[in-house]
Amino acid sequence: MAVELRAQLEAGCAELGLSLSEQQIQQLMDYLALLAKWNKVYNLTALRDTAQMLSKHLLDSLALLPYLDAESLLDVGTGAGLPGIPVAICRPKMAITLLDSNAKKTRFLQQVKAELKLQNVTVVHGRVEQVTLPKFAIITARAFASVGDIIDLAGRHCDDAGKLVLMKGVYPEQELQEAGPGFSLQAVTAINVPFCEGQRHLVTLIKD
């Protein structure tokens, strides 16, 4: 099973145009194994099938990499570390903060950080509207809240001229119409995730 999963991961990375080292591939596989193991007790994700976790979580997160070009990133409502952990593995020079209000999930993230020796990761347990954090060049979120809510809750953590890079399913036309001030829409990009059906869109907003 592990051999098949690794082959699927490598094929997915090739399709995304990603060139990863042997160590990075192994770290992604180790993360997947930890996710599957801890999920049985901690209910980190609704997915139970490891192959689905690989496509709908890992490859889905890796599809963001071409759009993340900064020194610091805050992953809001990171949950099991998505997209933050895969990004941290592939961008070792990027300082990545993983924020979640669920203590079980942040305990899991501390374990992942330790086992995978991710020096560029900081795990924070708290609510995005309450925590005190430095400013970040990029804030990302995946299945966390509407575009407007993310602007309201997380916008203050964004650096001047920083970006929100938000993962959505279908084109979020209604959400974009209802989004408040403070950020301007830069792009909505349709992305193809290997071995995944359904639409995926990346919403990029620039801080005014």
Side-chain angles (χ1 to χ4, degrees):
M1 183 65 175
V3 174
E4 293 171 10
L5 288 171
R6 187 185 180 95
Q8 187 176 343
L9 175 61
E10 290 175 344
C13 288
E15 193 173 322
L16 290 170
L18 301 176
S19 179
L20 302 182
S21 68
E22 173 67 26
Q23 181 185 3
Q24 288 169 323
I25 292 289
Q26 189 56 54
Q27 282 179 307
L28 288 167
M29 291 301 297
D30 290 344
Y31 169 59
L32 184 64
L34 285 168
L35 182 59
K37 177 183 173 182
W38 280 60
N39 196 45
K40 293 172 183 174
V41 178
Y42 276 53
N43 198 31
L44 300 168
T45 167
L47 298 179
R48 291 290 179 263
D49 180 71
T50 311
Q52 280 199 326
M53 289 181 190
L54 191 152
S55 57
K56 293 185 178 179
H57 288 334
L58 258 66
L59 292 174
D60 189 60
S61 297
L62 294 174
L64 256 77
L65 286 171
Y67 307 93
L68 304 178
D69 52 350
E71 293 182 357
S72 63
L73 179 144
L74 172 65
D75 185 12
V76 175
T78 186
L82 300 157
I85 292 290
V87 172
I89 290 169
C90 299
R91 293 274 193 274
K93 293 182 180 178
M94 183 185 285
I96 294 178
T97 298
L98 308 176
L99 175 66
D100 204 275
S101 61
N102 184 306
K104 286 183 179 179
K105 290 175 180 176
T106 53
R107 279 199 293 273
F108 167 71
L109 295 173
Q110 292 284 15
Q111 186 70 22
V112 171
K113 176 185 174 177
E115 291 205 22
L116 300 188
K117 298 180 173 61
L118 297 176
Q119 305 292 333
N120 59 328
V121 167
T122 301
V123 179
V124 178
H125 173 234
R127 300 182 66 84
V128 64
E129 66 272 27
Q130 296 173 346
V131 294
T132 300
L133 295 167
K135 302 288 187 184
F136 295 87
I138 294 178
I139 295 177
T140 189
R142 180 180 181 268
F144 171 68
S146 70
V147 172
D149 284 346
I150 291 170
I151 289 173
D152 291 343
L153 295 170
R156 66 189 178 91
H157 298 301
C158 196
D159 222 340
D160 291 342
K163 292 192 290 190
L164 298 180
V165 180
L166 312 176
M167 303 177 76
K168 294 290 175 180
V170 296
Y171 189 98
E173 188 170 355
Q174 186 75 25
E175 287 185 31
L176 291 171
Q177 288 176 359
E178 295 172 353
F183 286 80
S184 300
L185 182 65
Q186 182 185 42
V188 181
T189 310
I191 54 174
N192 294 314
V193 179
F195 313 116
C196 273
E197 296 179 0
Q199 295 182 51
R200 296 297 276 153
H201 288 85
L202 212 58
V203 177
T204 305
L205 302 111
I206 301 286
K207 190 169 186 178
D208 295 335

